[in-house]
Amino acid sequence: MSTHTPQAAQPAPPARSGGAAAIGWILTIGLNVVAPIITYNYLHDHGWSEVSALLISGAWPVVDNIVVLAWRRKLDEFAMVTLAFLVITAVVSLAGANSTRTLLIKDSCVTGLFGLLCLATLLAPRPLMFYFGRKFATDGTPESTAWWNGLWQLEGFRRTQTVMTAVWGVAYLLEAGVRIALAYVLDTDTMVALSPVMAYGVLGALALWTVYYGKKAKAEGARRAAARAAAEAEAGRTATA
């Protein structure tokens, strides 16, 4: 008697709401990226200190969470992580002396903490990239959220989310270490220009790698599923012959 347990079939994705997805992306990028940069530059150019401008510009992601809460009547894990890091950023920025150099070092410490968080969630029931993936791979509707949650039953999907989380964690720990070291070696003006390039460069590289790895893992999963289906069909024909 066979003890083989059949692999769960991958649930099909629901039809996505293009309008809801577009609005979600516009709000996420606008309130978490564009608005903070514009606010910081405007306040800093009009005489605000770097610390004050940084803290005020950090209020926009809070607005994003309020909008999501009003729209969908709940805060997802992505929103809660964002809020937690806003608090951490504020605490780190206010702690101790606040020269430009120490602000750069503190900013690197925050990204390092994000790397540690990624690695720590490998011990949780689901790693952090699972929730980040759900934020950007679905339109936030109950149907698309249920589809993404249902993918967790697949071994390949679980492995993919674990690998992604580990890579992001290690990459951000290395990025933080390099930026902190450079802050002590390079002059402040150079680091002010280099720090955001490094931050967004690492983010862009990780995003591209994540898309590539996700597509590769999906294709490999489809190949294995096809091979398994062909083998089961052949076994069925042999059994009835």
Side-chain angles (χ1 to χ4, degrees), residues 156-172:
F157 180 81
R158 296 194 299 270
R159 182 173 58 253
T160 298
Q161 300 304 310
T162 298
V163 171
M164 286 180 177
T165 302
V167 169
W168 278 68
V170 171
Y172 268 110

Side-chain angles (χ1 to χ4, degrees), residues 31 35-36 39 53-66 83 86:
L31 295 177
T39 301
L54 179 64
L55 293 177
I56 295 298
S57 64
W60 283 109
V62 177
V63 175
D64 178 40
N65 288 323
I66 293 173
L83 284 174
L86 284 173

